[in-house]
Amino acid sequence: MARNLSENDLKPVAGGGLLDRRLLLKSGLVLATAQSVSTSVGADEVDPSDPPWQRKTGGPFTTYGTPSPFEKYVIRNIGGNRTPAGDGVSWTPLEDLEGIITPSGLHFERHHDGVPAIDPALHRLVIHGLVRQPLEFTVESLLRYPMQSRFLFIECGGNSNAGWHEEPIQRPVGAFHGLVSCSEWTGVPLAILLNEAGIDAGASWVIAEGADAGLLNVSLPLSKLVDDAMVALYQNGERIRPENGYPLRLIVPGWEGITSVKWLRRLHVTDTPSMTRNETAKYTELLPSGKARMFTFVMDAKSLITSPSPGQKMYGADTYEIRGLAWSGRGRIAKVDVSADGGKSWAEAHLQDPVLPQCFTRFRMPWAWNGKPAVLKSRATDETGYVQPEREVLVKERGRDGYFHYNAIVSWAVDEDGEITHVYA
Amino acid sequence: MSMPRHLALAIALAGAIGPARGDVAALKAPKLGTPLKPAEVSKWDRTIFPDGRGLPPGRGTAEEGRSLYAAKCASCHGARGEGATAEDLIGPPKPPTPDNPNKTIGAYWPFATTVFDFIARSMPPAAPGSLSGDEVYALTAFLLSANGVIKEDEVMTAATLPKVKMPNRDGFVWIDVEAK
């Protein structure tokens, strides 16, 4: 049970029992949380005050650590099209993670033709086209440039696309919204390399190409790349994992994931887009008018509640901590509102530091659940004033055939047994 | 090593100014890129533009492409391009509507050169880059013809392919960048 709560503390600030976010700053606060439904280890004979691992030398040193075997179910959920083999996705298990950094081994994957096994000694980055001097960089040479680090989310343009379905999909939140992850990316500001090649006056686009089997290519406006893109070499302190672009990944902050081209091999400076398959036939969104949105680069503000969420269970009336993530491709998250009565009333959640631009922001909200059915929602507002839309608003504007860029408010229904389901409400 | 904020700003500003970007040379960044000669660049350059720049020599017709399609594409895309483990490719050449949100090549793709580019660089997935220029022209011709965009006997080359007008050419609205 939640302890140290006075009657005043338990005074709701919005319908359904939402409490003042400042309550989370109260010392000694103990909150209940929704639990994953998991099997407990049957070890009746073990006395937790004197377990066997305290009575013998522990395991050996390891050259590279791995998670506890007890966490073996915290894994990427591999989905999508498995034939042909290299085309598909794996999802980050958002419901199992805390804080704002996604462990590198759990960063989502979207590959179009598998993960190339690149020998960094044989990898090159070529910059050419409308430049004074075409250049070729080795990976070793790029490691010698001035670097910068940024905490940034990367979200696939197709993330959350089940939201367009007529019926709400019932899956853990990560297997529905988990084509988004957040890392510390470190690398060379692209402007430095472009400047070294010398950009011609007439240049306005850059075609970026990866070294995977599909030579994935996309066209990007030069202005954005000069502004804040980087050629990343490190992810979360170590060299980028193969499935995330080793040895080089273009990082385009806040823009749909496909623009952050993995295994970057070539930047072609031009005056026009190439109109590649992945910016025409795909990653465009058909509207009810019959026209389609194109070059929808920015990932609009989005938030979702990771706890409680489908697959977890709440054990009785109590004061719980609602936990979630918010992010925006346009900048910082300004606020996250939470509702426990299906959107009739809202109250502002606590945003945990740090709150960084184009980065996951963790939000928390105390909630006195009375044990009766409730509908939880979260709604992000970013620093530009953009407000995450309700689903019916988004569907009315975009129709249901766009597939990409679904960022509507997510609703979870809690029933009297503490079971959680995804609903459209 | 992190970059001082004013340095980042200088780079961003220099980028906004245009041709004067050489001023950024004042940066203490090393210059470790190796200059490439035009012949070396052409080994790397795989870009194909809607106006035909980058298309290789070669030629192909739908008739030649039909058997190639059956041999190399049909197992994933279906014998008639109706889709199987991979997406559908062939449909009526009518732009999509809410009642028929068809995104097959003739209905949705705005540029014929995109078909050539994607086949040449990415297809078939198990052996990308294995098709000759003539074979890619033939497959492109077959798909355009099967979608009712060109006639069956039209020869596709670097000169003719960019001239093919796709039915949905004007079906797109640019969102996060200004259209020229």
Side-chain angles (χ1 to χ4, degrees):
Chain A
M1 291 293 286
R3 282 167 279 168
N4 287 6
L5 293 178
S6 69
E7 206 161 295
N8 198 43
D9 288 337
L10 289 168
K11 198 151 65 180
V13 293
L18 291 178
L19 305 178
D20 193 313
R21 67 184 187 278
R22 284 164 293 207
L23 189 59
L24 294 171
L25 304 174
K26 192 179 165 84
S27 74
L29 178 69
V30 180
L31 293 162
T33 57
Q35 303 291 322
S36 297
V37 184
S38 62
T39 52
S40 64
V41 183
D44 292 342
E45 315 85 59
V46 175
D47 176 358
S49 74
D50 187 22
W53 48 84
Q54 290 178 190
R55 289 182 167 269
K56 63 177 184 188
T57 303
F61 296 88
T62 52
T63 53
Y64 201 101
T66 54
S68 161
F70 294 95
E71 299 299 319
K72 66 183 176 186
Y73 298 110
V74 180
I75 53 174
R76 288 190 285 229
N77 184 330
I78 299 172
N81 184 3
R82 297 184 194 210
T83 313
D87 187 17
V89 298
S90 70
W91 310 76
T92 293
L94 297 172
E95 65 280 5
D96 293 324
L97 304 177
E98 250 298 346
I100 60 171
I101 295 302
T102 311
S104 298
L106 295 176
H107 192 290
F108 84 88
E109 301 170 279
R110 168 71 178 110
H111 310 312
H112 295 77
D113 202 0
V115 180
I118 295 177
D119 176 346
L122 299 176
H123 187 78
R124 300 286 184 274
L125 171 62
V126 167
I127 300 179
H128 71 102
L130 296 176
V131 296
R132 187 181 65 242
Q133 174 61 64
L135 294 174
E136 177 184 276
F137 297 88
T138 62
V139 176
E140 191 189 17
S141 71
L142 291 171
L143 287 163
R144 294 165 59 193
Y145 277 78
M147 292 198 187
Q148 62 170 200
S149 296
R150 284 193 61 186
F151 294 89
L152 297 165
F153 76 82
I154 295 180
E155 181 177 22
C156 177
N159 192 27
S160 313
N161 67 68
W164 301 114
H165 295 181
E166 295 218 46
E167 295 299 323
I169 194 169
Q170 300 304 332
R171 278 194 196 174
V173 60
F176 169 15
H177 296 288
L179 299 184
V180 61
S181 307
C182 188
S183 300
E184 183 193 38
W185 297 98
T186 303
V188 184
L190 183 54
I192 290 179
L193 305 179
L194 291 173
N195 180 65
E196 185 174 332
I199 304 298
D200 287 353
S204 52
W205 286 82
V206 176
I207 291 136
E209 183 179 82
D212 56 322
L215 291 177
L216 185 138
N217 55 344
V218 293
S219 309
L220 298 164
L222 175 64
S223 56
K224 170 69 173 177
L225 298 191
V226 169
D227 181 33
D228 66 353
M230 76 163 96
V231 175
L233 293 127
Y234 295 87
Q235 178 188 9
N236 295 332
E238 65 181 356
R239 295 291 292 279
I240 297 172
R241 299 276 172 100
E243 70 269 33
N244 272 302
Y246 183 86
L248 301 176
R249 180 171 196 169
L250 181 63
I251 297 289
V252 185
W255 284 21
E256 57 185 1
I258 193 165
T259 65
S260 286
V261 174
K262 295 178 285 193
W263 317 294
L264 183 68
R265 78 187 281 268
R266 189 168 70 91
L267 293 167
H268 187 169
V269 182
T270 78
D271 58 356
T272 180
S274 159
M275 296 298 182
T276 72
R277 180 251 197 180
N278 282 319
E279 63 210 23
T280 56
K282 303 288 173 183
Y283 301 89
T284 50
E285 302 113 57
L286 183 60
L287 295 168
S289 66
K291 299 280 184 189
R293 290 155 52 91
M294 183 177 208
F295 298 127
T296 43
F297 293 124
V298 180
M299 298 311 293
D300 283 323
K302 191 163 173 176
S303 69
L304 44 87
I305 293 168
T306 54
S307 176
S309 65
Q312 300 169 349
K313 189 169 160 59
M314 296 172 65
Y315 291 91
D318 204 336
T319 302
Y320 286 80
E321 181 174 91
I322 293 171
R323 301 168 174 170
L325 290 168
W327 62 96
S328 170
R330 298 185 193 279
R332 287 179 181 77
I333 290 296
K335 66 168 181 166
V336 176
D337 295 307
V338 172
S339 174
D341 57 10
K344 288 200 270 296
S345 65
W346 299 84
E348 208 173 320
H350 170 69
L351 302 186
Q352 174 178 292
D353 282 335
V355 177
L356 299 168
Q358 289 120 4
C359 180
F360 273 179
T361 295
R362 176 63 66 175
F363 69 87
R364 303 181 189 282
M365 185 76 183
W367 177 37
W369 182 47
N370 61 9
K372 300 225 170 76
V375 173
L376 298 173
K377 295 184 176 205
S378 66
R379 180 179 66 193
T381 302
D382 71 20
E383 63 180 337
T384 70
Y386 177 92
V387 181
Q388 185 182 9
E390 286 282 4
R391 181 175 183 278
E392 62 181 39
V393 173
L394 187 70
V395 168
K396 188 169 179 208
E397 179 194 315
R398 305 264 181 89
R400 293 180 47 251
D401 300 313
Y403 188 85
F404 299 94
H405 288 268
Y406 183 92
N407 73 319
I409 289 170
V410 180
S411 306
W412 305 141
V414 182
D415 71 11
E416 285 170 339
D417 297 326
E419 304 279 354
I420 296 132
T421 51
H422 176 212
V423 292
Y424 293 153
Chain B
M1 190 158 140
S2 80
M3 182 163 53
R5 187 169 285 271
H6 67 269
L7 187 60
L9 190 64
I11 291 169
L13 286 177
I17 293 164
R21 279 170 198 154
D23 296 349
V24 185
L27 289 173
K28 291 285 191 294
K31 294 191 182 302
L32 303 176
T34 305
L36 290 182
K37 297 189 178 74
E40 293 168 317
V41 169
S42 66
K43 277 171 41 185
W44 285 85
D45 187 0
R46 303 284 289 266
T47 310
I48 290 167
F49 291 96
D51 64 7
R53 277 180 292 157
L55 281 169
R59 64 177 298 290
T61 62
E63 194 186 345
E64 293 154 2
R66 186 185 311 278
S67 55
L68 274 169
Y69 179 88
K72 301 201 180 255
C73 318
S75 61
C76 295
H77 289 287
R80 291 171 305 285
E82 73 278 18
T85 55
E87 70 207 60
D88 51 341
L89 298 175
I90 298 171
K94 288 182 184 151
T97 62
D99 296 332
N100 183 22
N102 177 15
K103 294 182 188 173
T104 48
I105 291 170
Y108 194 66
W109 294 40
F111 296 98
T113 49
T114 308
V115 182
F116 187 100
D117 176 56
F118 187 65
I119 296 172
R121 70 175 52 245
S122 302
M123 291 290 117
S130 60
L131 298 167
S132 71
D134 284 352
E135 288 176 317
V136 180
Y137 278 114
L139 279 168
T140 304
F142 169 71
L143 288 170
L144 293 172
S145 164
N147 275 282
V149 178
I150 64 169
K151 295 194 198 77
E152 197 165 355
D153 58 357
E154 280 187 67
V155 180
M156 288 295 108
T157 66
T160 59
L161 181 62
K163 295 203 177 80
V164 173
K165 173 98 194 277
M166 299 298 280
N168 199 36
R169 168 68 184 82
D170 300 319
F172 295 84
V173 187
W174 293 17
I175 300 297
D176 287 324
V177 59
E178 225 169 279
K180 277 204 277 194

Coordinates of all heavy atoms in Angstrom, one line a residue, chain B residues 10 21 27 31 34 39 52 77 80 85-86 90-91 99-101 116 118 122-123 127 140-141 158 172:
Chain B
A10 N 28.7 28.5 -35.5 CA 29.5 29.0 -36.6 C 29.3 28.2 -37.8 O 29.1 28.6 -38.9 CB 31.0 29.1 -36.3
R21 N 30.8 29.4 -47.6 CA 31.0 28.4 -46.6 C 32.5 28.1 -46.4 O 32.9 27.5 -45.4 CB 30.3 27.1 -47.0 CG 28.9 27.2 -46.6 CD 28.1 26.0 -47.2 NE 26.7 26.3 -47.1 CZ 25.8 25.9 -47.9 NH1 26.1 25.0 -48.8 NH2 24.6 26.2 -47.8
L27 N 37.8 26.7 -38.9 CA 37.6 25.7 -37.9 C 38.9 24.9 -37.7 O 39.6 24.7 -38.7 CB 36.5 24.7 -38.3 CG 35.1 25.3 -38.3 CD1 34.1 24.3 -38.9 CD2 34.7 25.5 -36.8
K31 N 41.6 18.1 -42.0 CA 41.1 17.8 -43.4 C 41.7 16.5 -43.8 O 42.8 16.4 -44.4 CB 41.5 18.9 -44.3 CG 40.8 20.3 -43.9 CD 41.0 21.3 -45.0 CE 40.3 22.6 -44.6 NZ 38.9 22.5 -44.3
T34 N 40.3 12.1 -48.6 CA 41.1 11.9 -49.8 C 40.4 12.4 -51.0 O 39.3 12.0 -51.3 CB 41.5 10.4 -49.9 OG1 42.0 10.0 -48.7 CG2 42.5 10.2 -51.1
A39 N 36.8 9.8 -62.4 CA 36.6 8.4 -62.7 C 36.4 7.5 -61.5 O 35.7 6.5 -61.5 CB 37.9 7.9 -63.5
G52 N 16.5 11.5 -65.7 CA 17.3 10.5 -66.4 C 18.8 10.5 -66.1 O 19.5 9.6 -66.5
H77 N 6.6 -11.8 -55.5 CA 5.6 -10.7 -55.9 C 4.3 -11.3 -56.5 O 3.4 -10.6 -56.8 CB 6.2 -9.7 -56.8 CG 7.2 -8.8 -56.1 ND1 6.8 -7.8 -55.2 CD2 8.5 -8.7 -56.2 CE1 7.9 -7.2 -54.7 NE2 9.0 -7.7 -55.3
R80 N 1.3 -12.8 -61.2 CA 0.7 -11.7 -62.0 C 1.0 -10.3 -61.2 O 0.2 -9.4 -61.5 CB -0.8 -11.9 -62.2 CG -1.1 -13.0 -63.2 CD -2.6 -13.4 -63.2 NE -3.1 -13.7 -61.9 CZ -2.9 -14.8 -61.2 NH1 -2.2 -15.8 -61.8 NH2 -3.4 -15.0 -60.0
T85 N 4.6 -13.0 -50.7 CA 5.4 -12.6 -49.5 C 5.9 -11.1 -49.6 O 6.2 -10.5 -48.6 CB 6.6 -13.5 -49.2 OG1 7.4 -13.5 -50.4 CG2 6.1 -14.9 -48.9
A86 N 6.0 -10.7 -50.8 CA 6.4 -9.3 -51.0 C 5.2 -8.5 -51.6 O 4.2 -9.2 -52.0 CB 7.6 -9.1 -51.9
I90 N 1.4 -4.8 -59.5 CA 0.7 -4.6 -60.7 C -0.8 -4.3 -60.4 O -1.4 -5.1 -59.7 CB 0.8 -5.8 -61.7 CG1 2.3 -5.9 -62.1 CG2 -0.1 -5.5 -63.0 CD1 2.6 -7.2 -62.9
G91 N -1.3 -3.3 -60.9 CA -2.8 -2.9 -60.7 C -3.2 -2.0 -61.8 O -2.4 -1.6 -62.7
D99 N -11.7 4.7 -51.5 CA -12.4 3.5 -51.7 C -11.5 2.4 -52.3 O -11.7 1.2 -52.1 CB -13.6 3.6 -52.7 CG -14.7 4.5 -52.1 OD1 -14.7 4.6 -50.8 OD2 -15.4 5.2 -52.9
N100 N -10.4 2.9 -52.9 CA -9.5 2.0 -53.6 C -8.1 2.5 -53.4 O -7.5 3.1 -54.3 CB -9.8 1.8 -55.1 CG -8.9 0.8 -55.7 OD1 -8.3 0.0 -55.1 ND2 -8.7 0.9 -57.0
P101 N -7.5 2.4 -52.2 CA -6.2 3.0 -51.8 C -5.1 2.1 -52.4 O -4.2 1.6 -51.7 CB -6.2 2.9 -50.3 CG -7.1 1.8 -49.9 CD -8.1 1.7 -51.0
F116 N 13.3 1.7 -62.1 CA 14.6 1.3 -62.5 C 15.6 1.3 -61.4 O 16.4 0.4 -61.1 CB 15.1 2.1 -63.7 CG 16.4 1.6 -64.3 CD1 16.4 0.9 -65.5 CD2 17.6 1.9 -63.7 CE1 17.6 0.4 -66.0 CE2 18.8 1.4 -64.2 CZ 18.8 0.7 -65.4
F118 N 15.2 1.3 -58.1 CA 15.1 0.4 -57.0 C 15.4 -1.1 -57.5 O 16.1 -1.8 -56.7 CB 13.6 0.4 -56.5 CG 13.5 -0.4 -55.2 CD1 14.1 -0.1 -54.1 CD2 12.7 -1.5 -55.3 CE1 14.0 -0.8 -52.9 CE2 12.5 -2.3 -54.1 CZ 13.2 -1.9 -52.9
S122 N 18.5 -2.8 -55.5 CA 18.0 -3.6 -54.4 C 17.4 -5.0 -54.7 O 17.2 -5.8 -53.8 CB 16.9 -2.8 -53.6 OG 17.3 -1.6 -53.1
M123 N 17.2 -5.2 -56.0 CA 16.5 -6.5 -56.4 C 17.3 -7.4 -57.2 O 18.2 -6.9 -57.9 CB 15.2 -6.1 -57.1 CG 14.1 -5.4 -56.3 SD 13.3 -6.6 -55.1 CE 13.8 -5.8 -53.5
A127 N 20.3 -11.3 -54.2 CA 21.4 -11.1 -55.1 C 21.3 -9.7 -55.7 O 21.3 -9.6 -57.0 CB 21.5 -12.2 -56.2
T140 N 11.8 -3.2 -66.0 CA 11.1 -1.9 -65.8 C 10.0 -1.8 -66.9 O 8.9 -1.4 -66.6 CB 12.1 -0.8 -65.9 OG1 13.1 -1.0 -64.9 CG2 11.4 0.6 -65.6
A141 N 10.4 -2.1 -68.1 CA 9.4 -2.1 -69.2 C 8.2 -3.0 -69.0 O 7.1 -2.6 -69.2 CB 10.1 -2.4 -70.5
A158 N 17.8 4.9 -71.6 CA 18.1 6.1 -70.8 C 17.4 7.3 -71.4 O 17.1 8.3 -70.7 CB 19.6 6.3 -70.8
F172 N 1.2 14.1 -55.2 CA 1.9 14.3 -53.9 C 2.1 15.7 -53.5 O 2.2 16.6 -54.3 CB 3.3 13.6 -54.0 CG 3.3 12.2 -54.2 CD1 3.1 11.6 -55.5 CD2 3.4 11.3 -53.1 CE1 3.0 10.2 -55.7 CE2 3.3 9.9 -53.3 CZ 3.1 9.4 -54.6

